[in-house]
Amino acid sequence: MIGRTTQVVDCRESMGLAKGGGLAQRGTLSEATKPDVIAIAMSPGRRHITKPVCEMTYGLRREGIQTSVLVLEAGTGVPESFPQGSRGYGPTFGLSEKEVEQIARHKIAVFHLGNVRSHVIFKAKEILSQVDIPAVVVAQCPMDLEDFAKEGVKTRLVKPSRQKTQTLGEVVDLVTGITRGATCNRVKLNQLAKVLNKHLAEISEREARELAKKQKR
């Protein structure tokens, strides 16, 4: 029971980490009954803290939004597409075929991929290059849709040229000012819920129109 609504969640493929099992391990999916929203988090570690993904998820579920959570297997570091001059020698960010399939069966994604602007952009680009899904990016640092479009990421309002477009999916909204490793305040949770409800409503309307067209045929 979450708030006034009962939601069933198929929770985690393996036991959680830390005292009480509170932190999900890498490579695990907590799947909601309806595949509406999937929140995607980095892999947990000393420098990569998945908080406040669980708080955001719980807050969204309290608002009646069916939300799954995926903690990536290789969610640290930067992808191969990141500029080589500033890449360093750390881990490489990427998705497995299983994770691509898990993300693709949802209607919209929420990305929580760190606080460094360039890292967030290139991680989002890596995911959206493999999955055709609308995404809301959550981050601490200020950024706008133009920052994504400059790197070949399709966005709702700013489109890169056809030759420079490198993604299947697109960034449809941003919610900034959510700090990694810190409690997410109610104002930001409300903002995220409002954004998701808006886009879910638009997706439902679009699906209804497409269904009506098929029935007329």
Side-chain angles (χ1 to χ4, degrees):
M1 178 70 75
I2 300 175
R4 297 181 180 180
T5 306
T6 299
Q7 293 190 30
V8 179
V9 180
D10 184 8
C11 194
R12 297 182 189 168
E13 299 172 6
S14 57
M15 185 180 295
L17 301 170
K19 186 176 181 180
L23 185 62
Q25 291 190 38
R26 64 180 65 222
T28 63
L29 173 70
S30 299
E31 191 164 17
T33 308
K34 289 177 61 181
D36 286 343
V37 178
I38 182 165
I40 300 173
M42 301 175 296
S43 309
R46 290 184 178 180
R47 294 184 63 238
H48 285 79
I49 304 169
T50 54
K51 183 178 179 176
V53 168
C54 289
E55 292 175 353
M56 293 190 313
T57 305
Y58 184 73
L60 294 175
R61 288 172 179 162
R62 284 184 64 89
E63 296 296 323
I65 300 173
Q66 296 274 345
T67 310
S68 305
V69 185
L70 174 64
V71 182
L72 295 174
E73 179 69 37
T76 57
V78 292
E80 292 286 352
S81 60
F82 196 77
Q84 292 297 317
S86 53
R87 246 199 101 198
Y89 297 97
T92 300
F93 177 93
L95 299 179
S96 66
E97 290 184 11
K98 181 179 179 181
E99 288 170 337
V100 169
E101 187 276 328
Q102 288 170 333
I103 296 168
R105 61 176 178 250
H106 291 78
K107 293 181 179 179
I108 190 168
V110 175
F111 294 167
H112 183 259
L113 301 171
N115 290 333
V116 181
R117 182 188 284 106
S118 59
H119 291 195
V120 172
I121 292 170
F122 277 87
K123 287 178 181 180
K125 177 180 174 181
E126 179 68 20
I127 297 172
L128 295 174
S129 69
Q130 300 181 57
V131 188
D132 186 1
I133 192 171
V136 176
V137 176
V138 172
Q140 177 182 346
C141 54
M143 57 178 67
D144 56 37
L145 295 178
E146 287 188 1
D147 294 325
F148 289 86
K150 288 176 183 176
E151 300 299 338
V153 180
K154 287 197 295 185
T155 73
R156 179 171 55 91
L157 300 176
V158 187
K159 308 290 185 184
S161 65
R162 183 175 298 179
Q163 295 82 2
K164 292 185 177 180
T165 300
Q166 300 179 43
T167 61
L168 301 171
E170 68 174 7
V171 176
V172 295
D173 245 309
L174 303 170
V175 179
T176 58
I178 296 180
T179 306
R180 186 182 73 192
T183 297
C184 185
N185 63 56
R186 172 52 59 183
V187 173
K188 289 298 178 180
L189 286 176
N190 289 343
Q191 183 182 350
L192 180 58
K194 185 177 180 180
V195 164
L196 288 171
N197 276 323
K198 170 192 168 187
H199 290 294
L200 285 170
E202 291 175 354
I203 291 169
S204 296
E205 289 176 10
R206 192 158 55 245
E207 290 175 344
R209 287 196 300 268
E210 291 174 357
L211 180 60
K213 287 181 181 178
K214 288 181 180 179
Q215 290 175 343
K216 287 180 180 179
R217 293 173 187 171

